[in-house]
Amino acid sequence: MNESIQKLKDWIQESDNIVFFGGAGVSTESGIPDFRSVDGLYNQKWDYPPETILSHSFFNRYPDEYYRFHREKLVIEGVKPNRAHIRLAELEEEGKLRAVITQNIDGLHQAAGSKNVLELHGSILRAYCSRCGRKYPADMMNYGTDVPKCSCGGVIRPDIVLYEEPLNDGIMTSAIQYIRNADILIIGGTSLNVYPAAGLINYYNGNKLVLVNLSETPYDRYANLVIHEKIGEVFGQI
């Protein structure tokens, strides 16, 4: 175990007020591609840029094209929590981790056993009617070939935050509160380039800011501990 991971392990052992904030890199080791890496969705060819397809206006105008992309690129079979998800759930069970704040929509934190998960961008495991708001099983939209419709005639949509849509105020308020009061803030698997989510780091008032990411982030110079390794491998040692 290298010195940085040992320091993180020591900090965790001494604290019972840890908050974790994670992005796509937390789930890549489970087989879910991220959006901005060399092999990510943003670098794969498609009829439209992924940012366009995953926008509110595009969904409303071309739901058939949206669902073609959704079912081919967002629905990934057989994924399971990795060591990072599992260790975070264990830390919560041990009374050390107060909350997981995630940009991911895959539900893997809950699958690993985490209870207090704040999903900034929603979940692909939930669906509702875009017209009347009626809730539907995710299978209604994640499988099939047609555009899923509600009994009212509205298009069923995923309970995720599309581009052009605001984040949920209640979830953001809770995330800010947890981060503001945290002893240790661990940020992992995110480039910290997507706002407003990336701006959450600015609410941290402590002196144990930990960044775990394969590549550098704009906030590395502000962190108290930086680890440029795979997050699953790091959490497997703490």
Side-chain angles (χ1 to χ4, degrees):
M1 183 183 299
N2 69 39
E3 183 178 331
S4 295
I5 296 177
Q6 182 62 56
K7 178 181 284 190
L8 174 57
K9 184 176 182 178
D10 292 342
W11 283 359
I12 289 173
Q13 289 177 340
E14 298 166 358
S15 178
D16 63 357
N17 186 8
I18 303 166
V19 172
F20 178 81
F21 172 40
V26 178
S27 293
T28 53
E29 290 171 65
S30 291
I32 297 178
D34 70 28
F35 277 63
R36 290 176 174 79
S37 68
V38 173
D39 298 318
L41 290 180
Y42 282 15
N43 289 289
Q44 297 179 19
K45 293 183 179 179
W46 203 256
D47 292 343
Y48 301 87
E51 300 98 323
T52 299
I53 298 173
L54 295 171
S55 69
H56 177 84
S57 56
F58 188 93
F59 178 87
N60 287 338
R61 190 172 183 182
Y62 305 111
D64 52 343
E65 187 68 10
Y66 168 84
Y67 269 109
R68 190 168 71 87
F69 180 90
H70 177 106
R71 288 164 180 153
E72 183 171 333
K73 295 298 183 183
L74 300 187
V75 180
I76 302 175
E77 299 286 354
V79 293
K80 295 180 180 180
N82 60 52
R83 287 176 292 179
H85 298 108
I86 293 169
R87 185 62 183 130
L88 286 165
E90 291 173 348
L91 290 172
E92 182 184 48
E93 180 68 22
E94 294 166 12
K96 292 182 169 295
L97 185 72
R98 299 292 180 88
V100 169
I101 303 166
T102 181
Q103 295 172 282
N104 297 337
I105 61 174
D106 50 49
L108 288 177
H109 285 293
Q110 292 92 329
S114 290
K115 302 293 191 296
N116 192 23
V117 182
L118 305 181
E119 297 173 316
L120 297 178
H121 297 154
S123 173
I124 198 175
L125 303 180
R126 299 188 299 267
Y128 65 93
C129 174
S130 58
R131 179 184 294 176
C132 72
R134 178 181 174 183
K135 295 180 180 179
Y136 280 91
D139 286 358
M140 287 280 293
M141 62 173 181
N142 289 342
Y143 303 99
T145 56
D146 298 327
V147 173
K149 293 289 186 67
C150 175
S151 55
C152 77
V155 175
I156 296 172
R157 60 161 289 173
D159 189 10
I160 62 176
V161 179
L162 298 171
Y163 286 98
E164 304 168 352
E165 295 178 338
L167 300 185
N168 181 284
D169 285 340
I171 293 176
M172 281 292 285
T173 298
S174 293
I176 290 169
Q177 193 69 18
Y178 277 113
I179 289 174
R180 183 175 279 152
N181 295 327
D183 173 28
I184 301 174
L185 175 60
I186 304 174
I187 299 179
T190 174
S191 61
L192 290 172
N193 285 317
V194 179
Y195 288 84
L200 288 171
I201 192 174
N202 297 315
Y203 292 96
Y204 179 60
N205 297 313
N207 60 1
K208 293 178 180 176
L209 174 61
V210 183
L211 298 184
V212 183
N213 200 53
L214 271 177
S215 59
E216 294 184 6
T217 80
Y219 288 88
D220 279 16
R221 57 181 172 168
Y222 303 110
N224 304 105
L225 183 61
V226 178
I227 302 174
H228 288 151
E229 296 187 34
K230 288 185 177 181
I231 190 166
E233 295 180 1
V234 172
F235 273 79
Q237 299 178 64
I238 61 173

